[in-house]
């Protein structure tokens, strides 16, 4: 427990690049006492104390927080949110950043979020939702391809199939109902296929006040030219230069209206609401909501945020976000993700990582760890598919991008893989879509 009354001890759940970025920003606050990260990674140990804790077990998390005298719990990933960890923490009388199980349905069930969007008049793709294969197949045939098939529940980013042909769509429906995504696929949402550039807009909320953050754009596909399988994200930048003022205000309105609808329906949503948008010719439409910060979006958004993150998160948790005003650095941020060869398929672990200090010695460069671990002999080694995110800030988009790639060159590990075209399309302007 912190020994003075000016700081509070914090428990952060998660182990990705997002959590390293969150941990670094929390630790930088004068309000932060001891920072525990459960389970954390090879980067979070540099800014806090990694602890072994069943992050998805509500009672285990609440017990740990109570026993260690933690004053704020911050939940990084979706699984603990959907499992109700925030509810247990709040029931223990401890402030928590992250929605309870009900609010987390915005991410945990595509059907739930589509129905809420319909009630609130939020622009999104037309859809049908099905619990049996025959009706889903009939709908797919009636609508025709291209069409999008989504497993309803959490599927670690793999439950969305954008089908170019009817055959692909039918296969996707069958796969879902045959259990390819486990229980997540027992309800299937079939959606109209939208086109346009994608843009994420995250917002802090306490359930009443909504403070949108800066825009960001992820690169989900594994290969250059947006080809290959979907990944957790290969690179990202913020803000998104191609977004018009009108589009930005439309997206902000969606975030406000969505939180207002949650509140009107009696759902207590405190934390981050992530809107994934497609900028269609008919204006921005919602592809999905997430109940948490994005990964790797966080790795470009937080370095641009001027505010004290502990203050902002406490204000969300304590429902006084109206006291906060967000401020952003003017610089552009670009992050390139370094992955293990083979990702998102199978890959080897345990490769020694060199050169992070050289990259970080460069002004305006930060290296966030994702799949890294410290070996018994003290060497930093790879331990996951997405290994590092290298973030650079620059006065222009191009300068940030060049700096990020220059920094990537300094880092080495066997099998190091990266996309060389992060931000390239945006640099070419809207016509590139
Ligand atoms: P999600 O996990 O819902 O964000 O979907 C993953 C990706 O699938 C998105 O980032 C889009 O690239 C794509 N996607 C999802 N829904 C649609 C849609 N209705 N139309 C076209 N692409 C979509
Ligand atoms: N970057 C996509 C996500 O966090 O879901």
């Amino acid at each position: 427990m912190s020994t003075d009354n000016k700081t509070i001890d914090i428990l952060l759940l998660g182990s990705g690049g997002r959590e390293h970025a969150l941990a670094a920003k929390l630790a930088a606050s004068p309000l932060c006492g001891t920072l525990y990260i459960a389970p954390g990674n090879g980067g979070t140990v540099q800014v806090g104390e990694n602890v072994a804790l069943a992050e998805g077990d509500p009672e285990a998390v609440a017990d740990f927080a109570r026993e260690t005298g933690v004053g704020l719990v911050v939940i990084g990933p979706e699984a603990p949110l959907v499992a109700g960890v925030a509810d247990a923490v709040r029931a223990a009388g401890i402030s928590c950043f992250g929605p309870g199980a009900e609010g987390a349905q915005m991410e945990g069930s595509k059907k739930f979020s589509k129905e809420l969007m319909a009630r609130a008049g939020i622009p999104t793709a037309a859809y049908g939702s099905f619990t049996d294969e025959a009706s889903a197949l009939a709908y797919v045939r009636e609508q025709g391809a291209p069409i999008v098939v989504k497993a309803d529940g959490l599927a670690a980013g793999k439950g969305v199939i954008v089908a170019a042909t009817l055959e692909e769509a039918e296969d996707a429906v069958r796969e879902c109902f045959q259990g390819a995504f486990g229980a997540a696929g027992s309800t299937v949402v079939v959606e109209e296929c939208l086109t346009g550039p994608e843009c994420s807009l995250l917002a802090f909320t306490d359930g009443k006040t909504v403070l949108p953050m800066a825009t960001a754009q992820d690169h989900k596909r594994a290969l250059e030219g947006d080809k290959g399988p979907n990944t957790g994200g290969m690179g990202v930048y913020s803000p998104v230069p191609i977004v018009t003022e009108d589009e930005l205000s439309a997206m902000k309105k969606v975030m406000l209206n969505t939180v207002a609808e949650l509140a009107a329906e009696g759902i207590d949503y405190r934390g981050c609401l992530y809107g994934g948008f497609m900028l269609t010719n008919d204006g921005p439409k919602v592809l999905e909501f997430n109940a948490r910060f994005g990964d790797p979006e966080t790795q470009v958004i937080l370095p641009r945020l001027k505010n004290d993150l502990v203050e902002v998160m406490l204000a969300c948790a304590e429902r006084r976000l109206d006291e906060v005003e967000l401020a952003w650095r003017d610089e552009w941020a670009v992050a390139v993700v370094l992955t293990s060869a083979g990702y998102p398929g199978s890959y080897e672990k345990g490769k020694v990582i060199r050169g992070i200090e050289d990259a970080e010695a460069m002004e305006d460069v930060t290296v966030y760890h994702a799949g890294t671990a410290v070996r018994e002999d003290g060497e930093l080694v790879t331990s996951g598919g997405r290994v590092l995110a290298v973030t650079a800030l620059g006065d222009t988009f191009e300068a940030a991008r060049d700096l990020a790639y220059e920094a990537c060159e300094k880092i080495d590990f066997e099998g190091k893989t990266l996309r060389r075209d992060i931000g390239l399309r945006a640099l070419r302007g809207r016509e590139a879509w």
Side-chain angles (χ1 to χ4, degrees):
M1 199 187 299
S2 69
T3 46
D4 57 69
N5 52 16
K6 289 187 207 71
T7 64
I8 58 163
D9 295 348
I10 299 173
L11 168 63
L12 168 66
L13 303 183
S15 64
R18 166 185 52 213
E19 282 74 24
H20 188 198
L22 286 166
K25 193 83 179 169
L26 291 169
S29 164
L31 295 172
C32 184
T34 303
L35 174 61
Y36 302 100
I37 307 101
N41 61 33
T44 58
V45 285
Q46 296 165 8
V47 292
E49 195 180 312
N50 284 359
V51 290
L53 178 63
E55 57 173 310
D57 178 341
E59 291 316 316
V61 173
D63 286 348
F64 177 90
R66 204 186 292 112
E67 283 157 20
T68 48
V70 155
L72 173 68
V73 175
V74 177
I75 305 178
E78 60 276 19
L81 293 167
V82 171
V85 170
D87 302 294
V89 170
R90 281 190 200 107
I94 299 165
S95 293
C96 184
F97 182 89
E102 253 192 320
Q105 289 300 295
M106 288 300 282
E107 173 163 7
S109 165
K110 298 205 186 288
K111 180 170 181 274
F112 176 93
S113 75
K114 291 296 276 190
E115 287 174 354
L116 186 128
M117 282 188 260
R119 290 193 292 274
I122 304 289
T124 183
Y127 79 106
S129 109
F130 306 94
T131 49
D132 75 283
E133 191 176 302
S135 339
L137 286 175
Y139 183 80
V140 160
R141 285 176 196 134
E142 185 191 311
Q143 299 295 318
I147 195 157
V148 182
V149 178
K150 300 184 173 185
D152 179 65
L154 293 183
K158 297 186 192 86
V160 175
I161 301 102
V162 181
T165 65
L166 199 54
E167 198 186 351
E168 256 180 83
E170 290 182 15
D171 284 348
V173 167
R174 285 188 199 102
E175 265 184 47
C176 283
F177 283 114
Q178 279 159 20
F181 307 108
S186 60
T187 297
V188 171
V189 168
V190 182
E191 262 184 31
E192 166 197 10
C193 188
L194 303 174
T195 54
E198 288 182 45
C199 179
S200 309
L201 184 65
L202 283 63
F204 288 107
T205 183
D206 61 358
K208 299 180 293 186
T209 301
V210 182
L211 298 182
M213 297 184 221
T215 53
Q217 192 177 54
D218 191 6
H219 294 60
K220 287 203 163 99
R221 302 294 196 98
L223 305 176
E224 283 163 22
D226 293 322
K227 303 223 161 60
N230 266 331
T231 68
M234 298 296 289
V236 61
Y237 49 80
S238 172
V240 184
I242 56 161
V243 174
T244 65
E245 282 301 317
D246 283 351
E247 285 169 335
L248 185 59
S249 45
M251 288 190 285
K252 286 182 176 173
K253 199 169 136 206
V254 163
M255 301 309 287
L256 291 169
N257 290 349
T258 304
V259 171
E261 182 67 25
L262 284 161
E265 297 186 15
I267 296 174
D268 173 12
Y269 196 106
R270 298 179 232 179
C272 178
L273 181 67
Y274 167 132
F277 292 87
M278 196 164 258
L279 308 177
T280 74
N281 290 336
D282 302 323
K285 293 191 179 178
V286 174
L287 293 177
E288 62 163 347
F289 281 111
N290 292 322
R292 50 165 175 85
F293 275 90
D295 190 341
E297 285 88 340
T298 309
Q299 292 91 306
V300 286
I301 290 173
L302 290 186
R304 297 188 58 235
L305 180 68
K306 286 187 182 168
N307 300 64
D308 181 320
L309 187 62
V310 176
E311 252 174 47
V312 179
M313 288 187 156
L314 278 174
C316 289
E318 295 166 2
R319 308 205 71 191
R320 43 178 187 78
L321 192 60
D322 55 347
E323 295 170 10
V324 172
E325 206 172 310
L326 298 182
W328 300 94
R329 290 176 61 155
D330 289 331
E331 290 98 326
W332 299 79
V334 175
V336 178
V337 175
L338 304 182
T339 66
S340 302
Y343 172 78
S346 61
Y347 52 83
E348 291 178 15
K349 297 182 185 177
K351 309 295 181 191
V352 175
I353 306 169
R354 303 246 182 261
I356 292 183
E357 307 72 27
D358 298 336
E360 288 212 300
M362 296 167 75
E363 205 176 329
D364 290 328
V365 171
T366 311
V367 180
Y368 295 112
H369 294 229
T372 74
V374 182
R375 209 165 60 184
E376 265 173 28
D377 62 2
E379 288 276 19
L380 184 75
V381 296
T382 64
S383 69
R386 288 193 292 172
V387 179
L388 300 165
V390 180
T391 298
L393 293 173
D395 290 334
T396 63
F397 185 60
E398 201 160 13
R401 192 177 174 273
D402 289 347
L403 186 61
Y405 278 107
E406 209 184 304
C408 286
E409 291 306 313
K410 309 248 183 217
I411 300 171
D412 205 30
F413 55 87
E414 198 187 312
K416 174 183 122 179
T417 304
L418 69 159
R419 268 181 67 167
R420 305 247 165 222
D421 65 343
I422 301 305
L424 208 54
R425 254 214 293 192
L427 210 54
R428 293 199 198 112
R430 190 74 176 236
E431 302 70 44
W433 273 267

